[in-house]
Amino acid sequence: IAWVLFACASGGRRRSEMRDLYWADMTLAEEGQGALISLSDTKTTKSENDERVAVRGRAFEYLMAWRERLCVMEGDDALKGPIFPGIDVWGNVLRTGLTGDAVSDIVAKLITRAGLDHAQYTSHGFRSGFLTAARDYADQDLLASDAARLLDE
């Protein structure tokens, strides 16, 4: 759930961007109510641009709960790896980020748990869904251009 909330709350991140996030890329806010995460190279930006996204609210709470769980599973070494590491069939935490297939499996399971037909939804849909939601809420002072900027489009 932390992956889904973070992907949506940070402007509809691409799967590859999520895979390439490491705990070392995160700076906690002083008041402990959020974090800034530096993005590595994305499809449209390069890391030297120092592109950062904020994570707050429920997405931040779930991210911190995920961090705590990883530390219980792997100790502090977990914080040297990716924020969303792969986990093998035996439950071992990998040192690489989630694969696109793993993300698709997670999304399908969550959609099914929500009582929906997972065949109608994809992990790629987070990005397009973000823009759709932005358009739908445009009358609430969120302009489509602002949404596009969040997506680095």
Side-chain angles (χ1 to χ4, degrees):
I1 292 177
W3 188 97
V4 172
L5 287 173
F6 179 85
C8 294
S10 64
R13 298 288 108 209
R14 292 177 177 89
R15 288 181 296 181
S16 60
E17 293 168 357
M18 297 289 290
R19 178 196 63 226
D20 296 339
L21 294 175
Y22 283 76
W23 291 109
D25 299 328
M26 184 171 77
T27 304
L28 294 173
E30 288 183 25
E31 55 283 349
Q33 296 182 355
L36 287 175
I37 298 184
S38 297
L39 299 176
S40 58
D41 293 351
T42 70
K43 187 175 177 181
T44 57
T45 64
K46 297 295 177 202
S47 58
E48 64 264 10
N49 294 341
D50 195 30
E51 185 74 23
R52 295 184 296 171
V53 294
V55 184
R56 296 182 195 93
R58 189 165 298 207
F60 177 71
E61 292 169 16
Y62 273 83
L63 186 62
M64 291 299 93
W66 172 242
R67 179 181 175 177
E68 185 176 316
R69 182 164 183 191
L70 271 178
C71 286
V72 167
M73 292 167 55
E74 292 292 303
D76 287 340
D77 281 349
L79 300 181
K80 296 177 184 173
I83 292 176
F84 300 106
I87 298 177
D88 69 18
V89 295
W90 299 279
N92 299 312
V93 176
L94 305 175
R95 294 292 169 219
T96 57
L98 286 172
T99 65
D101 288 343
V103 170
S104 295
D105 290 344
I106 291 167
V107 170
K109 287 176 185 173
L110 289 172
I111 294 297
T112 301
R113 274 172 60 190
L116 302 170
D117 178 8
H118 71 83
Q120 295 181 0
Y121 301 92
T122 66
S123 54
H124 177 75
F126 283 119
R127 274 183 82 69
S128 59
F130 180 82
L131 281 176
T132 300
R135 185 193 65 226
D136 292 345
Y137 292 107
D139 62 338
Q140 297 178 13
D141 296 329
L142 177 65
L143 302 175
S145 60
D146 293 332
R149 191 172 62 252
L150 284 172
L151 290 172
D152 304 321
E153 296 293 335

